[in-house]
Amino acid sequence: MLTTLKTSYTDTRAADLAWALGREPLPALAVLDLELSGAKLQLRLLGASHQVLLDEEGRHCSETVACMPGSSTPLPLGVSKRVGAWEYEFGARVETLTPGAFAGRAQELLALVADHPNGLAGTFPGSPHAFTAMLAQRHEGQVRWRTWHAYPQEGQLVVTRTRIGARMPATL
């Protein structure tokens, strides 16, 4: 699903993004509710990037990647931690592209997500290449999502990937 977000473009620098687990739902500009083999997933586009809410078998997890005033947790390159009975893994990277490469990558990603049943993308007024996009799937018992946050004025694309699923028992 592709939508134009009705707000000003508030994320102005990739370096302003922060990461948080366990935050309450924040006001969203666009929402996509998904059911992935028993897992309820809500993809949320915020005025300041994204939030994902996961609910499965009475367990809950929320991930927020956004410009959060007062946040002291910058966007990490990687996180691996236990969240209740789940194993949670998060990774992020920043791609810096030339203007031409950035425009092509933006068009490619928006086309991919817009036509995907588990995808949500929102463009911001003022620039066709200012967007946030999200894509979710369930694979081998894990829920996974990827996100892309575009900063055309810097030529930067912040790419995240998340994987969450039941802990695997130790083998001897």
Side-chain angles (χ1 to χ4, degrees):
M1 178 169 93
L2 178 62
T3 186
T4 299
L5 302 173
K6 305 213 181 338
T7 188
S8 60
Y9 186 52
T10 58
D11 282 356
T12 56
R13 294 175 349 116
D16 292 339
L17 285 176
W19 167 86
L21 273 179
R23 289 187 69 120
E24 293 296 316
L26 298 172
L29 300 172
V31 173
L32 179 62
D33 289 306
L34 300 171
E35 173 108 16
L36 301 174
S37 302
K40 291 182 185 201
L41 194 66
Q42 188 175 76
L43 304 179
R44 304 167 58 83
L45 296 179
L46 312 175
S49 294
H50 90 258
Q51 188 173 50
V52 177
L53 307 176
L54 173 63
D55 186 2
E56 183 179 28
E57 298 177 0
R59 296 176 294 201
H60 310 280
C61 180
S62 75
E63 172 189 279
T64 306
V65 171
C67 294
M68 296 178 274
S71 175
S72 61
T73 306
L75 191 63
L77 294 177
V79 173
S80 182
K81 67 187 305 179
R82 189 172 181 175
V83 177
W86 285 326
E87 289 292 331
Y88 171 89
E89 291 182 16
F90 172 86
R93 73 177 190 277
V94 178
E95 298 176 6
T96 302
L97 305 165
T98 66
F102 189 93
R105 184 86 166 118
Q107 290 175 343
E108 173 186 280
L109 289 168
L110 288 171
L112 169 74
V113 175
D115 295 334
H116 197 287
N118 297 342
L120 176 63
T123 57
F124 291 89
S127 172
H129 303 129
F131 69 91
T132 299
M134 308 170 74
L135 191 60
Q137 70 174 2
R138 181 151 191 138
H139 182 69
E140 296 180 354
Q142 295 181 327
V143 178
R144 300 174 183 202
W145 57 88
R146 295 193 63 186
T147 72
W148 299 269
H149 304 263
Y151 299 91
Q153 71 283 4
E154 296 182 311
Q156 291 188 323
L157 186 65
V158 177
V159 180
T160 75
R161 62 151 181 78
T162 301
R163 177 171 66 185
I164 188 167
R167 288 177 47 95
M168 300 302 287
T171 57
L172 299 175

